[in-house]
Amino acid sequence: MRKFVLMTGLVLLPILAVAADSLEYLIDDAERFEEELDRMETEREWDASDAADMESADLIPDPGLATEDAGRAGEALEKGMYVRIKIDGVPVDLTDVPKDTWFAPYVRSAADAGIVSGYRGENGLPLGLYGPADPVTIEQVAKIAFIASGTPISDCGSELLN
């Protein structure tokens, strides 16, 4: 009988080890699933807020709101409530675009589509600045139009024509 119990124990040990590993994977998956649900809920709330902002009948916001937006911008920086985009797969906060300003959903849409990415430093890394008050150069307009067209860069060739 003792030999039978010992042999049964030896057979069951690998099975129990596999079951423990499977249970650990299931717990990890459940935790990741919960984190993903939290992230989706946060994004849903942001999208609802953006949709409410975009429902305004005004094509151009009231100039009197500019000072209000400036005050909210400082508050947003303190609370970490600015637009977050992904550049080259890395999340970057655009510290000059508070998420509750009227133009934030448009900046996020353009960034999600890969049309704009904000300023980069001399080292090529994102600075976290979009420059919503900066003038737009003809070169920037050309780049935006080219990227928005969806034309692959490889179709352009390497020889300069102008």
Side-chain angles (χ1 to χ4, degrees):
M1 181 69 166
R2 194 178 212 190
K3 190 174 181 181
F4 174 74
V5 170
L6 183 62
M7 287 177 54
T8 305
L10 290 175
V11 170
L12 287 179
L13 277 176
I15 294 171
L16 291 174
V18 168
D21 285 344
S22 296
L23 182 62
E24 187 176 323
Y25 284 123
L26 285 173
I27 291 170
D28 287 346
D29 287 346
E31 289 171 353
R32 281 194 295 264
F33 182 68
E34 183 179 12
E35 289 171 2
E36 182 66 15
L37 285 176
D38 289 344
R39 185 192 62 76
M40 289 171 59
E41 178 65 22
T42 301
E43 286 183 359
R44 188 187 64 74
E45 290 171 3
W46 286 354
D47 290 343
S49 172
D50 292 346
D53 290 343
M54 291 173 60
E55 286 179 4
S56 170
D58 298 334
L59 179 60
I60 299 174
D62 181 7
L65 295 177
T67 54
E68 182 182 326
D69 281 347
R72 288 189 304 186
E75 182 181 313
L77 291 175
E78 290 173 12
K79 293 182 179 179
M81 297 175 15
Y82 29 84
V83 171
R84 176 173 280 181
I85 62 172
K86 282 194 176 182
I87 301 174
D88 301 329
V90 178
V92 175
D93 293 324
L94 297 176
T95 57
D96 55 355
V97 184
K99 72 177 184 180
D100 64 347
T101 56
W102 68 270
F103 57 88
Y106 305 107
V107 172
R108 187 179 303 124
S109 275
D112 288 347
I115 297 171
V116 297
S117 61
Y119 289 105
R120 293 181 184 257
E122 291 179 12
N123 57 4
L125 296 176
L127 295 175
L129 297 172
Y130 179 73
D134 296 350
V136 181
T137 66
I138 190 67
E139 293 85 1
Q140 291 168 327
V141 171
K143 182 179 178 184
I144 289 169
F146 178 77
I147 293 172
S149 75
T151 305
I153 292 176
S154 59
D155 289 355
C156 294
S158 59
E159 184 180 326
L160 297 176
L161 300 177
N162 294 339

